Amino acid sequence: MTQSRPRKTVFGVLPWPERQAIAEALRTETVGGLVLLAAAVVALVWANSPWSGAYEAVRDFHFGIPALGLDLSVGHWTADGLLAVFFLVAGIELKRELVVGELRTPATAALPVVAALCGMAVPAALYVLTARAGGGSLEGWAVPMATDIAFALAVLAVISTHLPSALRAFLLTLAVVDDLGAILIIAVFFTSDLNFWALGGAFAGLALFYVLQRYRIRGWWWYVPLGIAIWALMYSSGVHATVAGVAMGLILRTTRDKGEDASPGGRVSHLVHPFSAGVAVPLFALFAAGVSVSGDALRHVFTDPEPLAVLIGLVVGKILGIFLGTYLAARFTRAELNPDLAWADVFGLATLAGIGFTVALLIGELAFPDPAQAEHVKAAVLIGSLTAATLAALLLRRRNRLYKQLYEAENRDEDGDGIPDCYQTESSALPGSSR
């Protein structure tokens, strides 16, 4: 009689190396998320204050190199320039996940990938249904698709919820897959008239970038000028410049050679991630989130089909998509939920993933060139993200006592050797293992 294969546990204890890498990324994102939250509040207050004219003057101030087609406003520099740094970090994190993380094998990748894909498809479908029912434009179908990991972690920090590391890691992996989906959507659906010479130059630069990595060439003086040239060529080609960031991130090597303390991707992420989370993304938010919150503007959110579709997509679509995707993936892969958790915890996490801020604002600007319409869509993103954050806070706080117990158990280190005790006892070897 053959024994059945043991069932995999979902949201159990992460392997120690994976947990270390995830913890470092989450620490930076949490601090950056708090700065992002502050920047969004400043933008809203400033844009709705008697000094709103100054806000618009700063946001619309142009500078750059006109001869190279780079005479951009401050708002465009933050969206096209600084967000390229954000997507560089996202590309590195995606590469790490694909090579050594949760996405390296089909068995471990199935759950977060299916959940993320459902979490993108359902909001887009609800947007299309709502906008079409109201006779509105379908151009914004991609706005409610992406999760903002920094904002979500900032909400967790504010409400002091001790989510177990496996749930935080799942949220991060979801956001990484979301970011890849978002950049593909931007590249394919929001590309203007192509300049094939500039695009060819950008691809040639990326090929040189790959060769430098392939032959283990080190030195920032090679990569920084080349990276800037690739970014400028990508921008001039008509493809959104943030694509250059994620492309370079995916090229960087994320495995260590013998004798290396860290891989090139690890070194770059360690240096750039704090700037991305603490400066680049908050500055983008500062000049993208400054929308009117007057009674008339809020009325448009609930009466115009496009903003209402974005709101429903974020609040309803994200929750349904991620929760159902997670449940179905676990069911069809014969996985068991961690016995210490319940599906209500997954629902709370799905609600938290409804916070779509940075990338949603970026796609909103691309999808709606008309400033008035873009303002209403941005307001819908803000209201939808705030609604999702409030619901998540209510749901997750109810279970915080359990989360705190699990968090303390998986971080207990009585022998003080820097490695939690749960990784050093036979009893913890498999009950909560997610592998």
Side-chain angles (χ1 to χ4, degrees), residues 165 312 317:
S165 58
I312 292 174

Side-chain angles (χ1 to χ4, degrees), residues 35-270:
V35 179
L36 170 65
L37 189 59
V41 171
V42 169
L44 286 170
V45 172
W46 192 2
N48 290 277
S49 72
W51 303 280
S52 59
Y55 175 83
E56 294 173 0
V58 174
R59 182 192 62 195
D60 298 334
F61 177 76
H62 278 248
F63 68 96
I65 308 173
L68 298 178
L70 295 175
D71 184 25
L72 309 178
S73 67
V74 171
H76 278 116
W77 274 114
T78 59
D80 293 283
L82 291 180
L83 278 195
V85 179
F86 164 78
F87 277 106
L88 170 66
V89 174
I92 294 172
E93 182 58 33
L94 176 62
K95 178 76 173 286
R96 194 197 70 80
E97 289 286 336
L98 289 169
V99 175
V100 297
E102 288 287 296
L103 303 180
R104 75 181 185 276
T105 60
T108 56
L111 186 73
V113 169
V114 170
L117 291 177
C118 291
M120 290 186 284
V122 175
L126 283 181
Y127 176 95
V128 170
L129 290 174
T130 306
R132 179 170 288 171
S137 168
L138 303 184
E139 294 297 319
W141 61 273
V143 175
M145 292 177 66
T147 295
D148 194 307
I149 182 64
F151 218 129
L153 292 173
V155 170
L156 288 179
V158 169
I159 64 177
S160 300
T161 298
H162 298 77
L163 274 187
S165 58
L167 288 176
R168 292 174 184 263
F170 180 72
L171 185 63
L172 178 61
T173 307
L174 271 178
V176 168
V177 178
D178 270 359
D179 287 339
L180 175 63
I183 203 68
L184 289 174
I185 288 167
I186 290 171
V188 174
F189 296 99
F190 297 102
T191 294
S192 57
D193 295 335
L194 287 176
N195 180 334
F196 288 100
W197 288 106
L199 185 60
F203 278 116
L206 289 171
L208 178 57
F209 197 97
Y210 171 80
V211 170
L212 293 175
Q213 281 290 288
R214 179 72 176 79
Y215 287 95
R216 305 308 196 250
I217 305 299
R218 300 182 64 172
W220 64 267
W221 50 88
W222 290 99
Y223 294 98
V224 172
L226 179 59
I228 293 173
I230 292 170
W231 172 86
L233 287 166
M234 193 70 75
Y235 176 83
S236 299
S237 74
V239 178
H240 200 271
T242 52
V243 175
V246 79
M248 287 184 281
L250 287 170
I251 291 173
L252 281 168
R253 181 166 51 86
T254 54
T255 54
R256 292 183 294 172
D257 285 342
K258 186 176 180 180
E260 282 187 323
D261 294 329
S263 67
R267 288 195 298 271
V268 172
S269 181
H270 181 74

